[in-house]
């Protein structure tokens, strides 16, 4: 009999792998016998054991005749690792409760069919909404063939990203900035534009606590104007950096490559690069999640293309006035054209407020 508590435990266990196993989805598994948890497992780094295998190894011979709870359908194909279904069958698991069927065409029901073929009782469809939210990056990567894009912005209470003189350090408080660093450590990449580099000279790395990993730093730079002495260029050997461009002088290309920067040329129209082509290139590199930390122009471009999947907006306890409003290049002229947000959550961070939500784009 299905027990909700064990699937909820598997969901919590899966969180241990957030940011640690991309491009694989992070999954949780729990092995149970007579309401006693024998073992748990979460997905390890890419190329290592999946959650089911971790749990089975912990359980050992006790797994025979036990019940497996797993948040995502077990794989049934050879990829970077052998199929989990065969290990489940070999261990003698008698029943499997699956939270969500895997949308990956390589799996998508095949794992369920293989387990049933081996005589194992299988039921699916538990805590689906929570698991879909948990695996939103992976599901976007599979269904849309591009990374899940998170837009992060730090704004004053009256919606300004900077004062009139351009200064913006710091609108948000230290606790909010620490949270941003943790968020960075969980995504595959950070994207910004050349204007942000020229204005703020950021590092765009993780600098608080023990980083899970350093994200790939991506710069959209149509004319390859990236100065050699910026922090980004000077640290490219230590922190992987990728620059998309359209036009450039050969000596600039060679100089940046010598600094350890990878360059990719994509289509462009003046100061704008083809965002669909950028997304396609990232998909080829199996980048599943990206944090967009950019100024008004590039942020507006992502929203115009319908590419922003989630928003994190930090509001600092300041009023700045002036005209430096975020997304002022979006070109919305009527309230009927507004981009809505659904699934809103609020979080107080000392004297700051974090609002998160999912954009709802108007019909085109």
């Amino acid at each position: 009999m299905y027990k909700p508590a064990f699937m909820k435990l598997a969901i919590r266990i899966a969180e241990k792998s957030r940011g640690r196993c991309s491009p694989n989805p992070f999954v949780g598994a729990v092995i149970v016998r007579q309401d006693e948890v024998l073992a748990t497992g979460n997905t390890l780094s890419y190329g290592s054991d999946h959650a089911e295998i971790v749990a089975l190894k912990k359980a050992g011979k006790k797994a025979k005749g036990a019940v497996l709870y797993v948040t995502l359908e077990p794989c049934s194909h050879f990829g970077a690792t052998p199929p989990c279904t065969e290990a489940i069958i070999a261990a003698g698991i008698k029943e499997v409760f699956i939270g969500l069927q895997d949308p990956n065409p390589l799996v998508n029901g095949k794992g369920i069919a293989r387990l049933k073929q081996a005589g194992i009782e299988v039921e699916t469809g538990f805590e689906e909404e929570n698991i879909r939210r948990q695996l939103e990056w992976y599901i976007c990567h599979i269904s849309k063939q591009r990374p899940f894009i998170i837009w992060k912005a730090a704004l004053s209470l009256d919606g300004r990203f900077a004062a009139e003189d351009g200064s913006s350090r710091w609108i948000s408080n230290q606790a909010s900035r620490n949270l941003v660093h943790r968020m960075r450590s969980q995504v595959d990449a950070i994207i910004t534009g050349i204007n942000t580099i020229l204005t703020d000279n950021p590092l765009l790395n993780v600098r608080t606590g023990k980083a899970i990993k350093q994200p790939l730093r991506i710069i959209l730079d149509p004319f390859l104007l990236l100065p050699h002495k910026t922090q980004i260029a000077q640290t490219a050997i230590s922190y992987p950096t990728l620059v998309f461009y359209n036009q450039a002088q050969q000596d600039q290309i060679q100089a940046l490559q010598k600094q350890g920067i990878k360059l990719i040329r994509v289509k462009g129209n003046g100061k704008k690069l083809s965002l669909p082509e950028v997304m396609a290139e990232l998909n080829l590199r199996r980048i599943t999640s990206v944090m967009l930390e950019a100024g008004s122009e590039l942020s507006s471009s992502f929203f115009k293309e319908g590419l922003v999947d989630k928003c994190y907006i930090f509001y600092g306890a300041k009023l700045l006035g002036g005209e430096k409003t975020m997304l002022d290049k979006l070109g919305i002229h009527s309230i009927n054209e507004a981009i809505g947000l659904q699934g809103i959550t609020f979080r107080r961070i000392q004297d700051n407020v974090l609002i998160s939500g999912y954009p709802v784009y108007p019909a085109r």
Side-chain angles (χ1 to χ4, degrees), residues 187-199:
V187 298
D188 293 337
I190 299 171
I191 286 183
T192 196
I194 185 59
N195 290 339
T196 295
I197 301 299
L198 297 176
T199 302

Side-chain angles (χ1 to χ4, degrees), residues 171-314:
I171 290 176
S172 58
N173 63 28
Q174 185 63 56
S176 291
R177 298 197 296 275
N178 289 345
L179 178 56
V180 169
H181 280 282
R182 290 198 293 274
M183 290 174 173
R184 285 179 177 179
S185 74
Q186 295 173 351
V187 298
D188 293 337
I190 299 171
I191 286 183
T192 196
I194 185 59
N195 290 339
T196 295
I197 301 299
L198 297 176
T199 302
D200 297 336
N201 191 25
L203 263 173
L204 295 181
N205 63 350
V206 179
R207 300 188 298 278
T208 58
K210 186 177 180 181
I212 295 174
K213 68 174 187 301
Q214 290 291 345
L216 173 66
R217 305 180 302 182
I218 300 171
I219 303 166
L220 304 192
D221 185 2
F223 300 112
L224 204 58
L225 301 176
L226 180 64
H228 305 163
K229 293 186 178 181
T230 55
Q231 291 194 94
I232 288 284
Q234 292 289 319
T235 59
I237 294 296
S238 301
Y239 304 107
T241 306
L242 177 62
V243 177
F244 287 95
Y245 75 100
N246 177 248
Q247 301 177 46
Q249 299 294 326
Q250 190 61 36
D251 58 347
Q252 173 74 336
I253 292 174
Q254 293 175 350
L256 292 176
Q257 287 176 332
K258 284 182 180 179
Q259 288 184 284
I261 297 172
K262 294 183 179 180
L263 304 175
I264 297 179
R265 186 176 182 181
V266 294
K267 295 176 182 177
N269 182 12
K271 294 182 179 180
K272 295 186 177 181
L273 297 177
S274 168
L275 294 184
E277 191 168 340
V278 170
M279 293 297 103
E281 289 288 345
L282 296 183
N283 185 60
L284 287 174
R285 287 159 178 76
R286 305 189 77 180
I287 302 295
T288 64
S289 57
V290 169
M291 185 170 286
L292 175 63
E293 299 192 37
S296 175
E297 190 166 347
L298 186 57
S299 295
S300 296
S301 294
F302 269 81
F303 275 102
K304 284 180 180 178
E305 297 276 356
L307 291 172
V308 174
D309 299 294
K310 191 172 187 177
C311 300
Y312 285 131
I313 307 172
F314 291 84

